[in-house]
């Protein structure tokens, strides 16, 4: 449920960002919104968190083996 809501929110923010890029004269603002949309999408921060957890788990296993 949470992933779905964040995906919808990320899509809406991306659409707003594209509107800003195309119709406003401020590309920097549009790129800021695109970065925010990417971060809250399922490919942004959640993937980074999963990667960090896997690295912490591997490090924990390494410490147990020593």
């Amino acid at each position: 449920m949470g992933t779905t809501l964040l995906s919808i929110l990320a899509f809406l923010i991306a659409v707003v960002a594209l509107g800003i890029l195309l119709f406003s004269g401020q590309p920097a603002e549009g790129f800021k919104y695109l970065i925010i949309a990417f971060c809250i999408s399922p490919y942004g921060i959640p993937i980074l968190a999963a990667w960090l957890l896997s690295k912490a788990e591997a490090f924990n296993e390494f410490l147990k083996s020593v």
Side-chain angles (χ1 to χ4, degrees), residues 19-36:
I20 291 172
L21 283 170
L22 294 175
F23 301 117
S24 172
Q26 303 170 343
E29 288 297 316
F31 286 120
K32 287 179 190 176
Y33 281 105
L34 281 176
I35 290 170
I36 291 169

Side-chain angles (χ1 to χ4, degrees), residues 34-55:
L34 281 176
I35 290 170
I36 291 169
F38 176 76
C39 286
I40 65 171
S41 75
Y43 300 106
I45 293 175
I47 295 293
L48 177 63
W51 179 78
L52 284 173
L53 284 175
S54 70
K55 294 300 178 187

Side-chain angles (χ1 to χ4, degrees), residues 8-23:
I8 292 169
L9 183 62
F11 174 75
L12 293 174
I13 292 173
V15 168
V16 168
L18 290 176
I20 291 172
L21 283 170
L22 294 175
F23 301 117

